[in-house]
Amino acid sequence: MRPVERGSWPLDAQGTPRAFAEYAEARGELIARLGEYCSFCESQLNASLAVEHVLPKKPNPRRALDWDNFLLACVNCNSTKGTKPVRRGKHYWPDRDNTARAFTYKADGVVTLAPGLTGPQQKVAKRTLELTGLHKLPTKDPKASDRRWMHRRDAWGRAERARTCLAACDTPDMRQCIIEQATALGYWSIWMTVFSADSDMRQRLIAAFTGTSAGCFDMQTQPVARPSGAL
């Protein structure tokens, strides 16, 4: 899960915090700061990205128009999370924690807990997967609407093919073409994993995906503890 920087509350023309009459008014500003990516599954969407309430708005009406409670989510992640009870400290969040340390992405599209987590960290990461449904395994049901695992698997294949092309023709233009392909497709974590041995590509990926929290990585692009975060 890509760690992101949402930034401070937007200001209006007078320089005061902007008041939202409805939460949908925040969508444009969120996209400008975070890119057109689901904050949880990392898919790229040109449309249908919803303003996601970290603390669900129904049981938390006072947070319904709170900028600090907003992220972006696709239909699957949004509906899976729904109105389940949420306590910030019980889960990992891409706007607060270094979620790049929490999960491992695999070629078959499955997301699992990252190795090296402590026992308590594993519990929080597991709850996060269950809350968002990113732990769901592939299904053969042709009626299944949740196909996030399949999209991750496809993205992995594209990233591997790009890595092969780069090995055969390693030029700045080729690297830029791969970055453009990655940002158009989404799934930042998968590209970072496939290019785990190429710190230059990882630096480019961190810089190219709008809103990625660069402070969550050291000079070698390895994830580090996020200041003021829980991970």
Side-chain angles (χ1 to χ4, degrees):
M1 191 179 294
R2 182 174 69 113
V4 298
E5 297 280 359
R6 181 181 46 242
S8 57
W9 199 301
L11 304 180
D12 61 20
Q14 288 69 46
T16 57
R18 179 181 172 188
F20 299 106
E22 54 181 326
Y23 61 83
E25 293 179 358
R27 182 183 290 111
E29 191 68 42
L30 287 166
I31 288 174
R33 298 190 184 193
L34 303 178
E36 291 184 296
Y37 306 103
C38 175
S39 301
F40 303 117
C41 74
E42 306 179 20
S43 60
Q44 195 280 342
L45 293 172
N46 294 324
S48 302
L49 263 179
V51 175
E52 155 69 11
H53 293 80
V54 175
L55 299 178
K57 58 183 181 298
K58 192 170 183 178
N60 303 278
R62 293 183 179 179
R63 303 297 302 273
L65 303 176
D66 183 351
W67 171 259
D68 295 325
N69 194 39
F70 293 158
L71 287 172
L72 293 167
C74 70
V75 171
N76 276 319
C77 290
N78 200 9
S79 61
T80 300
K81 184 169 172 284
T83 58
K84 295 174 185 173
V86 169
R87 290 173 59 188
R88 272 268 187 179
K90 293 289 186 179
H91 305 88
Y92 289 133
W93 301 101
D95 62 324
R96 187 196 65 175
D97 307 306
N98 188 351
T99 39
R101 301 177 65 203
F103 308 113
T104 294
Y105 292 77
K106 299 182 178 180
D108 56 5
V110 174
V111 183
T112 59
L113 305 186
L117 296 177
T118 65
Q121 289 171 340
Q122 288 182 11
K123 291 181 180 178
V124 177
K126 184 173 183 291
R127 281 196 293 267
T128 305
L129 288 182
E130 293 170 346
L131 178 69
T132 57
L134 296 181
H135 68 304
K136 291 182 179 178
L137 298 174
T139 174
K140 295 181 179 179
D141 182 357
K143 296 181 181 178
S145 60
D146 188 348
R147 300 162 72 85
R148 289 175 291 180
W149 67 269
M150 185 183 71
H151 297 152
R152 287 194 296 269
R153 185 191 62 187
D154 293 345
W156 186 285
R158 288 173 182 263
E160 281 197 324
R161 290 192 290 277
R163 186 180 60 189
T164 299
C165 290
L166 184 62
C169 180
D170 193 344
T171 67
D173 284 346
M174 176 63 78
R175 287 178 179 264
Q176 181 57 32
C177 285
I178 293 172
I179 292 299
E180 291 175 4
Q181 181 185 5
T183 53
L185 183 64
Y187 303 104
W188 175 88
S189 293
I190 289 173
W191 292 88
M192 288 287 286
T193 303
V194 170
F195 284 93
S196 60
D198 190 330
S199 62
D200 175 76
M201 284 299 294
R202 285 169 60 94
Q203 288 173 351
R204 291 171 185 256
L205 289 164
I206 292 170
F209 276 73
T210 303
T212 303
S213 178
C216 286
F217 302 89
D218 64 16
M219 295 296 290
Q220 288 73 45
T221 70
Q222 297 306 305
V224 296
R226 186 167 186 166
S228 74
L231 188 65

